[in-house]
Amino acid sequence: MSTPVVTKPAPDAATVARPTVGQRLTAFMPVIALVVLLAALTVADPSFLTQSSLTAVVRTAAPLVVLAAGATLVVLCGGIDLSIAALCSLGTVLFAMWLPDLGGLTLLAVVAATGAIGALQGLAHVFLRIPSFIVTLGGMSIFGAVALVISDAGPIRVVDREATHWLTLYLAGVLPMAFVVALLVVAVVWTVQRFTPLDSWIRATGYSESAARLASAPVDRVKVAAFTVSGACAGLAAVMLVSRNFSGSPTMADNLLLPAVAAIVVGGTAITGGHGSLWRSLAGALVVTLLRVGLPIVGVPSAYEQILYGAIIVAAVALTLDRSKLLIIK
Amino acid sequence: MNMQIEPEQRATAPVTALEVRGLVKHYPGVKALDGVDLVVRQHEVVGLAGENGAGKSTLLKALVGLVRPDDGEIWVRGEKVRLRSVVDAADHGIGMVFQEQSLVPNLTVAENIVLGSEGLGVRRGVYRWDAMRRLAQEQLDKIGSRIDPLARTDTLTFADRQMVEIAKVLRIEERTSHPPVIILDEPTSVLESKEIDALFTQVRRLREFASVVFVSHRLDEVLDVCDRVAVLRGGQSVGELPTADAAPDQLHRMMIGSTGSDDHYHGAAVEPPAEPREPRLVVRGLCGRTFRDVDLDVHAGEIVGIVGVHGSGREDVCRALFGAEPTTAGEVTLDGEELDLSGTRAACAAGVGYVPAERKTEGMVGPMSVADNMTLTKQEARCSGPLVRPRKQAKLVDTWIQRLSIRTPHRGTPIQRLSGGNQQKVVLARWLVSGDVRLLLLDHPTRGLDIGARSEVYRLMRELASSGVATVLLADSLEEAIGMSDRIVVMNDGRATTEVDAPVGDKPTPLDLVKEMV
């Protein structure tokens, strides 16, 4: 056991910026937002703060948590994955189509397929040197169209409900199994990240890719891995959606892209990469879901939802973006 | 041509166009400017000389409002001014032709010249091509250039683009009634000798209606074209020299200070390189984008300095040996085994280490902790199997913090909060933690460090060499290269042209090397 070496601070340590109030605040932003929102909703509707409505919130949030968690890895590496929602929709179609043949293995097959598609996007980004924004924007369009084509542009009903039944159960009667799975995903990915060199590599890549490369960190492999996990998460979220809707549909998850990105930035993960974590996105996803559930409670028509997401994303990035390191903001 | 100079004005005592008094600028860990004085009189070409890190570029940036000094004053024609932006500086008649050209390549010459202050070239938000062309032509006439204002900028040669820049910068004449001050930052670094002659003709022409500040690494040029040279060293003004009867070596001595004062970094007891053996690093005929047919041998325990002017290609050779710059031909072996140059991972696995010149953007990951920065490369040093062992890491990092006397509040402190010298020690330690580095490539390892931090880095380099590491050093100054190296390779235009032995007690002088470099 070593004792920490406490030496005098560097002479100019005092002149170098300490974390500002804003930076300290953003560290707790998602949790603060969560508490404030809960309080506000309870004030607006005193009957809101019940076990059953909270259970409903986390059940609704589960697919969003998984989607956002996967995409967070890509964002941490300094990229963005815009294809998650379309890939998730494709996943619901694949699940509904494969279920009759594959039965219990369908979940694994779908997750493997979307993971492989994510990996392809990562490879295209890394080896063809195309910005992740473009690769996944293209991917979004392609996956959405593929889902439409193979499903004949309509929902596919799932008759065999046994395969996804377990996801609709409740742990201890209150905790939806889907949410437990979402928590597990976050915990497992975080654990792997935390206790292997992956964390260092991901953050170094996100903060400064050139420095990471010159430190001979496996930048390319880390990025491909991030896209793979993001894809796989989209597949898992798809299974969750199917378990709730008893069908797969080529546009089922399309409206989850904005909430997922909102969850990531509201969580305080820097859109420029490096800074952030999956836990933050979990909190962010809960905030976003609460807003979604809460809007009707305070009397705002749900048509305003998308306006809200758009505003949240812009506002959250405005609050958290460290502009001092960006020469040019594109 | 519009020259509003009255003849008698030139005859009387020269007017001071620009004066800098006691300018100070600190960056974390460095004093870039530490009390600089400069006087530029009307119709005068003043040279600015100094080694890398002497403060030249910071001074220039302060003069055009890109850097705000912490202390000191800038006076323009007897009026104290505060320059907050390039526009501010232009309003006071100060303009700069940047080293990296600032023209937009896919616009015409005329568009570039009017860009930013379109004046009559734009009416109600719409380009008026005729007026714009006339405006541009006027500017080009000022410098007697025959460049077509409607040519696309990227079809011009570099030298012509530079003329366009000068024409463009002269538009500050419209903002002020006084003759302007034009700053030329390293204007000759990429020009051919014929083009340099043309540029010098231009500079002499500019003198007729403006003042010029001329910065160049090439001392003969400075002496040729300037009336007077101001010398900076370590962020301070160390003196001035009228060029009429000065020789390059006189100027160079002022730039580097009294030779021999930096002997401390030679290391007290340096073993002469061991008996001739097979060199550890053997490079034969290495070719890349900016270098050709480079041969290089480095023995274990030897420090080989590569010197060369800007554009000699030495930085790229260094990066190529680390797999961070593509090569097209050549053979490289390390201890007899072929070195894989396909990427940084392969080089690192083979025992090659690299410290980049740009510490803040390439050397370290600023927001990450000292510990994580130190173990970023050799992850195995803090892991058992695939798992990170926090205790193992803590122990390792603390050992190295102590061993290199890195001053940090804690191993968990973000590296960006350390001073430059301590940051650099962490970056160096990155290659040492696993103890398997055989070849270290150091690209300006002391850039931006103060003298104390420098000598610590020097001592560390010496220790590493004594322990058998082969080192390639791209030094920050000739003095440093001479002091630290056992052997010096001179690179010129992408080729290794000369090799000079530099054993202790028989060191070459900077001038010996300068002759080979230019």
Side-chain angles (χ1 to χ4, degrees):
Chain A
M1 188 67 206
S2 64
T3 47
V5 182
V6 181
T7 47
K8 270 199 304 184
D12 56 349
T15 64
V16 182
R18 293 176 181 286
T20 61
V21 177
Q23 281 166 331
R24 282 169 202 273
L25 208 64
T26 56
F28 294 101
M29 191 169 76
V31 180
I32 295 172
L34 202 57
V35 172
V36 169
L37 260 178
L38 270 177
L41 286 176
T42 311
V43 170
D45 177 6
S47 68
F48 173 76
L49 202 63
T50 60
Q51 178 254 308
S52 68
S53 54
L54 289 185
T55 296
V57 166
V58 293
R59 194 186 59 214
T60 317
L64 187 60
V65 170
V66 175
L67 271 186
T72 302
L73 280 178
V74 177
V75 173
L76 282 176
C77 289
I80 182 89
D81 189 347
L82 297 177
S83 71
I84 45 172
L87 192 53
C88 184
S89 296
L90 177 61
T92 66
V93 172
L94 290 180
F95 190 90
M97 290 174 71
W98 290 349
L99 187 60
D101 298 328
L102 298 177
L105 289 176
T106 321
L107 189 157
L108 289 180
V110 169
V111 170
T114 54
I117 292 173
L120 274 180
Q121 293 193 97
L123 290 169
H125 164 54
V126 166
F127 289 108
L128 304 181
R129 302 174 64 82
I130 311 168
S132 60
F133 167 75
I134 295 299
V135 171
T136 59
L137 188 66
M140 175 171 102
S141 168
I142 294 168
F143 309 146
V146 169
L148 276 173
V149 171
I150 61 175
S151 67
D152 282 335
I156 303 175
R157 283 184 56 78
V158 171
V159 190
D160 169 20
R161 296 184 180 178
E162 282 308 302
T164 57
H165 180 63
W166 62 279
L167 272 173
T168 60
L169 298 177
Y170 290 84
L171 200 66
V174 289
L175 213 49
M177 196 56 93
F179 189 66
V180 173
V181 171
L183 284 181
L184 273 176
V185 168
V186 173
V188 167
V189 176
W190 179 80
T191 309
V192 170
Q193 202 191 327
R194 186 75 185 72
F195 293 102
T196 65
L198 215 55
D199 186 48
S200 260
W201 288 335
I202 289 175
R203 284 190 298 138
T205 302
Y207 279 129
S208 172
E209 195 178 317
S210 53
R213 251 178 232 286
L214 290 176
S216 78
V219 173
D220 292 342
R221 270 186 278 163
V222 165
K223 283 178 156 184
V224 174
F227 276 98
T228 310
V229 174
S230 184
C233 280
L236 184 59
V239 179
M240 290 179 174
L241 288 177
V242 173
S243 78
R244 234 165 54 192
N245 299 322
F246 307 116
S247 68
S249 140
T251 56
M252 184 176 279
D254 285 6
N255 59 356
L256 284 182
L257 175 60
L258 227 50
V261 176
I264 294 169
V265 295
V266 165
T269 293
I271 203 76
T272 46
H275 177 84
S277 80
L278 269 65
W279 293 111
R280 288 173 166 277
S281 297
L282 168 68
L286 290 176
V287 168
V288 169
T289 311
L290 263 186
L291 278 174
R292 196 172 185 178
V293 174
L295 279 184
I297 296 180
V298 293
V300 179
S302 57
Y304 286 72
E305 233 177 63
Q306 297 289 329
I307 297 181
L308 191 71
Y309 295 144
I312 289 177
I313 290 177
V314 175
V317 171
L319 278 175
T320 54
L321 191 61
D322 183 1
R323 293 168 186 80
S324 63
K325 279 191 220 70
L326 297 177
L327 214 53
I328 293 166
I329 296 176
K330 280 188 179 173
Chain B
M1 243 181 278
N2 58 341
M3 290 187 220
Q4 60 275 70
I5 308 149
E6 291 131 48
E8 58 272 21
Q9 196 183 344
R10 293 211 56 189
T12 54
V15 181
T16 300
L18 174 72
E19 184 171 359
V20 172
R21 296 181 193 162
L23 217 57
V24 174
K25 177 71 189 177
H26 297 260
Y27 291 112
V30 210
K31 272 189 170 177
L33 296 179
D34 190 11
V36 168
D37 303 312
L38 180 71
V39 174
V40 180
R41 300 191 188 92
Q42 204 157 299
H43 310 302
E44 187 182 38
V45 180
V46 178
L48 197 58
E51 293 201 293
N52 285 328
K56 284 176 307 198
S57 50
T58 313
L59 174 60
L60 298 187
K61 282 181 186 160
L63 289 180
V64 290
L66 290 172
V67 159
R68 277 187 223 180
D70 299 326
D71 200 8
E73 296 166 357
I74 299 174
W75 293 68
V76 177
R77 283 169 208 290
E79 184 197 345
K80 190 175 159 186
V81 295
R82 293 183 68 182
L83 306 172
R84 290 182 194 80
S85 66
V86 179
V87 178
D88 241 11
D91 284 338
H92 287 102
I94 306 172
M96 174 148 137
V97 175
F98 291 89
Q99 188 176 351
E100 307 90 20
Q101 294 196 335
S102 62
L103 299 178
V104 184
N106 53 356
L107 296 185
T108 62
V109 169
E111 280 171 292
N112 263 305
I113 287 179
V114 304
L115 193 67
S117 51
E118 281 78 2
L120 292 172
V122 168
R123 193 168 180 189
R124 293 203 189 97
V126 178
Y127 266 159
R128 293 164 67 219
W129 285 92
D130 266 3
M132 200 161 71
R133 206 188 63 184
R134 271 199 305 278
L135 237 161
Q137 191 64 60
E138 242 172 65
Q139 291 305 122
L140 291 167
D141 286 345
K142 279 186 196 171
I143 61 166
S145 166
R146 280 191 216 157
I147 298 165
D148 177 8
L150 295 184
R152 251 179 73 132
T153 309
D154 50 10
T155 62
L156 303 181
T157 64
F158 192 91
D160 277 348
R161 289 206 295 268
Q162 199 168 44
M163 289 302 150
V164 175
E165 291 232 30
I166 295 175
K168 178 183 167 80
V169 94
L170 282 176
R171 289 200 67 210
I172 60 176
E173 280 190 303
E174 296 161 21
R175 293 165 171 267
T176 156
S177 52
H178 305 294
V181 177
I182 306 295
I183 301 169
L184 302 172
D185 184 12
E186 297 276 351
T188 58
S189 51
V190 271
L191 297 187
E192 314 263 325
S193 66
K194 221 174 92 188
E195 298 168 332
I196 292 178
D197 288 343
L199 177 74
F200 283 4
T201 312
Q202 198 55 252
V203 170
R204 292 190 184 102
R205 189 187 189 117
L206 283 175
R207 172 162 49 190
E208 295 302 312
F209 60 100
S211 311
V212 179
V213 177
F214 183 91
V215 182
S216 173
H217 267 110
R218 304 184 187 173
L219 302 184
D220 50 338
E221 289 176 357
V222 174
L223 293 173
D224 184 6
V225 77
C226 299
D227 302 314
R228 196 155 53 84
V229 190
V231 182
L232 297 184
R233 190 171 69 227
Q236 293 178 320
S237 300
V238 290
E240 276 191 10
L241 210 58
T243 54
D245 45 18
D249 61 333
Q250 202 180 348
L251 184 54
H252 197 264
R253 268 202 300 280
M254 282 179 79
M255 283 164 59
I256 61 181
S258 54
T259 35
S261 68
D262 293 320
D263 274 344
H264 60 273
Y265 58 68
H266 298 168
V270 180
E271 300 287 317
E275 70 284 3
R277 275 174 298 153
E278 269 299 288
R280 169 160 284 178
L281 174 75
V282 179
V283 180
R284 289 289 172 268
L286 195 65
C287 299
R289 277 183 313 152
T290 56
F291 50 89
R292 262 182 304 160
D293 299 329
V294 173
D295 294 350
L296 183 69
D297 291 342
V298 186
H299 289 86
E302 193 183 28
I303 300 179
V304 173
I306 306 182
V307 299
V309 295
H310 183 77
S312 64
R314 58 184 184 142
E315 287 86 1
D316 288 336
V317 169
C318 205
R319 286 174 92 93
L321 291 177
F322 188 60
E325 167 78 25
T327 54
T328 51
E331 269 178 41
V332 180
T333 58
L334 189 67
D335 284 333
E337 282 170 41
E338 194 179 331
L339 187 61
D340 180 357
L341 299 180
S342 63
T344 58
R345 298 276 296 162
C348 173
V352 182
Y354 173 66
V355 173
E358 301 298 328
R359 183 175 61 248
K360 289 200 160 53
T361 53
E362 300 197 317
M364 62 187 214
V365 184
M368 277 170 56
S369 69
V370 168
D372 286 352
N373 266 287
M374 202 185 279
T375 53
L376 184 57
T377 300
K378 306 283 183 182
Q379 291 288 343
E380 66 276 12
R382 64 163 182 162
C383 292
S384 303
L387 295 185
V388 172
R389 289 300 161 98
R391 277 190 198 173
K392 191 175 175 184
Q393 177 179 20
K395 202 168 159 184
L396 181 78
V397 171
D398 285 344
T399 309
W400 281 99
I401 286 177
Q402 233 164 7
R403 209 146 141 192
L404 306 185
S405 31
I406 297 169
R407 275 171 312 199
T408 172
H410 190 257
R411 73 180 99 82
T413 307
I415 192 173
Q416 61 195 4
R417 306 238 306 260
L418 271 52
S419 69
N422 288 303
Q423 289 172 350
Q424 193 68 307
K425 283 193 254 178
V426 176
V427 174
L428 262 163
R430 177 183 288 167
W431 302 104
L432 313 181
V433 289
S434 66
D436 63 356
V437 71
R438 291 189 280 173
L439 169 68
L440 258 184
L441 308 163
L442 306 177
D443 188 355
H444 295 87
T446 59
R447 175 175 286 179
L449 302 189
D450 60 34
I451 191 76
R454 274 170 188 254
S455 55
E456 287 191 68
V457 172
Y458 295 145
R459 210 181 48 229
L460 182 55
M461 282 168 61
R462 261 297 155 225
E463 279 174 24
L464 288 169
S466 316
S467 74
V469 173
T471 308
V472 173
L473 170 68
L474 307 189
D476 220 26
S477 65
L478 279 180
E479 271 297 281
E480 184 177 301
I482 294 166
M484 289 306 300
S485 307
D486 301 310
R487 200 148 46 80
I488 297 171
V489 173
V490 181
M491 278 192 69
N492 205 335
D493 276 337
R495 292 167 184 274
T497 48
T498 319
E499 207 176 290
V500 184
D501 278 326
V504 179
D506 186 21
K507 295 279 186 186
T509 68
L511 286 176
D512 296 340
L513 295 175
V514 169
K515 266 183 281 174
E516 307 290 340
M517 281 159 62
V518 290

